[in-house]
Amino acid sequence: QVQLVESGGGLVQPGGSLRLSCAASGTIFSINDMGWYRQAPGKERELVAIITSGGRINYADSVKGRFTISRDNAKNTLYLQMNSLKPEDTAVYYCMRLTYYGGRYAPIGSWGQGTQVIVSS
């Protein structure tokens, strides 16, 4: 059974930084395309960063230049370095395995608990 456990969220002031982690088990992590989603209150879930098994990376325009996705296949861990945080980055962040189908990425499996990020002064 695949398990993804997110951590690293918290309360941070605007302009601050956080590093999220996602520990994976029950899967051959290195062969998976992975992504970070976020869901703000009252809004739809948004895919903000993608890293493929081959290391290709893509970002949503809303986070481009501020967030960095990376992976450590030896540790079965996905990361999201978030810099220059804004109040609109406030959301629950989730990591997911991804599949590419019909010209877009979609999540595979069940959503975990996520990790809450609050950007506020």
Side-chain angles (χ1 to χ4, degrees):
Q1 183 177 353
V2 177
Q3 190 171 18
L4 301 172
V5 180
E6 303 92 345
S7 63
L11 173 63
V12 63
Q13 292 187 344
S17 298
L18 281 174
R19 189 194 196 200
L20 306 184
S21 299
C22 169
S25 61
T27 182
I28 304 174
F29 179 73
S30 62
I31 68 172
N32 286 289
D33 295 341
M34 299 294 299
W36 285 98
Y37 286 81
R38 68 183 181 186
Q39 187 167 24
K43 294 190 176 180
E44 291 189 357
R45 221 163 250 158
E46 174 189 20
L47 179 58
V48 297
I50 298 164
I51 184 167
T52 69
S53 59
R56 287 200 317 267
I57 289 173
N58 213 341
Y59 299 101
D61 288 343
S62 56
V63 306
K64 202 170 290 184
R66 300 186 299 119
F67 289 12
T68 302
I69 189 171
S70 61
R71 63 193 300 162
D72 186 336
N73 290 334
K75 295 182 178 179
N76 290 347
T77 303
L78 181 72
Y79 301 100
L80 187 67
Q81 177 67 42
M82 305 187 297
N83 298 329
S84 302
L85 283 161
K86 304 175 182 180
E88 50 263 44
D89 295 317
T90 295
V92 179
Y93 285 73
Y94 305 87
C95 66
M96 291 293 281
R97 294 179 298 146
L98 300 175
T99 184
Y100 190 75
Y101 179 79
R104 58 181 293 176
Y105 281 98
I108 302 171
S110 302
W111 297 93
Q113 300 273 17
T115 186
Q116 175 76 60
V117 172
I118 300 174
V119 185
S120 175
S121 55

